[in-house]
Amino acid sequence: MTALVIAEHDNQSLKGSTLNTITAALQCGGEVHVLVAGAQCGAAAEAAAQIQGVSKVLVADAPQFGDGLAENVAEQALSMAEAYSHILAPATAYGKNILPRVAARLDVGQISEITKVDAPDTFERPIYAGNAIATVQSGDRIKVITVRTTGFDAAATGGKATVEQVTSAADSGKSSFVSRELAKSDRPELTAAKIIVSGGRGMGSGDNFKILEPLADRLGAAMGASRAAVDAGYVPNDWQVGQTGKIVAPQLYIAVGISGAIQHLAGMKDSKTIVAINKDAEAPIFSVADYGIVGDLFEIVPELVKELG
């Protein structure tokens, strides 16, 4: 058995999600190869070669891979697929865009968002917004798997894999890169942050989210939000934590003015420590919170900042 991990990267460095996916691949048994498909992506390939457990890094370096277009990366993976028992990618927007195309073309069922490997053909994944865990056994000749990164530790560095250039698949011609808008922030990236301060509908407005900024600054935290706050236009979409947003598992998650709808809990309940602030003592968020404060957030948050000062 040999597993192929499709690396998520920016041509210069690997995304943290790739390290978690490699851990899952190692638990499937056998060797682990990593595909780095990009343009002038030698630095990312070298980073992949230094991950413990990786035996080979396969580099497809061509202009059509430079922007990570799913159609082109999927073609590259398909051109190599028959040599592998497992093909894995992180369950991020990147991986979720590529692997369904691969699974469909291979005529196999995709196993989505696994959180545990029980055996090379058996995996666990959350269903019903995380309220139940399904154990899935696959009889497909090639297992196509997306990995929920919060379910696996990041693989350690210190390895020395061989780096091999492979023949690049041709441009599919089905899509083209138009533009990219990057949000710049001095705060940690949401899915990689160790501490997150999130606000919900209870914040009342986008301007009121500013009350959370001093708290996030003191803690060195990323800022997030519930879907209700995002849908109300209080904050940008990329702040959303939950089943239809980003799945996070920081060391500390502070939920402010968040009632705790099941969709939100699905995205953050694996956090190591959860602190909830809400004026409704019956709010569902308190059912998963390690510490809860019932009261007016507009009074409590400034007091917390003062204590942290």
Side-chain angles (χ1 to χ4, degrees), residues 62-234:
Q64 62 266 29
F65 301 127
D67 296 301
L69 295 176
E71 292 82 357
N72 292 342
V73 178
E75 288 297 330
Q76 183 65 44
L78 285 162
S79 71
M80 308 160 63
E82 294 300 330
Y84 295 98
S85 58
H86 300 72
I87 300 176
L88 304 92
T92 58
Y94 180 81
K96 290 177 180 179
N97 206 6
I98 295 168
L99 281 198
R101 303 169 193 274
V102 173
R105 292 276 296 280
L106 292 175
D107 194 25
V108 300
Q110 178 176 297
I111 306 166
S112 300
E113 301 217 19
I114 69 164
T115 54
K116 187 178 179 183
V117 178
D118 291 336
D121 65 347
T122 308
F123 312 90
E124 294 182 14
R125 61 180 298 268
I127 58 174
Y128 303 129
N131 279 311
I133 301 296
T135 301
V136 181
Q137 187 173 37
S138 171
D140 290 326
R141 71 189 193 284
I142 302 174
K143 280 70 172 172
V144 177
I145 302 163
T146 62
V147 176
R148 180 173 285 197
T149 55
T150 57
F152 298 88
D153 294 332
T157 56
K160 196 173 182 180
T162 59
V163 179
E164 180 181 314
Q165 299 288 329
V166 297
T167 302
S168 298
D171 190 334
S172 68
K174 294 178 180 177
S175 63
S176 61
F177 178 75
V178 177
S179 66
R180 177 181 289 119
E181 292 183 16
L182 297 176
K184 293 183 179 181
S185 174
D186 293 331
R187 301 188 189 283
E189 202 279 320
L190 193 57
T191 55
K194 293 184 178 180
I195 302 174
I196 296 173
V197 176
S198 276
R201 194 200 305 270
M203 298 304 300
S205 72
D207 286 340
N208 287 340
F209 264 78
K210 292 177 181 177
I211 196 176
L212 301 182
E213 292 179 0
L215 179 59
D217 290 340
R218 294 285 169 87
L219 295 171
M223 289 185 65
S226 66
R227 178 173 178 171
V230 170
D231 286 351
Y234 296 168

Side-chain angles (χ1 to χ4, degrees), residues 190 194-200 203 209 212 214-226 241 248 250-258 264 268 271-278 285 289-293 297 300-301 304-305 308:
L190 193 57
K194 293 184 178 180
I195 302 174
I196 296 173
V197 176
S198 276
M203 298 304 300
F209 264 78
L212 301 182
L215 179 59
D217 290 340
R218 294 285 169 87
L219 295 171
M223 289 185 65
S226 66
V241 172
V248 299
Q251 296 295 317
L252 173 63
Y253 188 90
I254 302 177
V256 184
I258 295 175
H264 186 75
M268 47 64 71
S271 304
K272 302 301 182 289
T273 302
I274 299 171
V275 176
I277 301 171
N278 201 295
I285 191 69
D290 298 287
Y291 302 95
I293 304 174
L297 68 89
I300 293 168
V301 172
L304 279 177
V305 173
L308 291 168

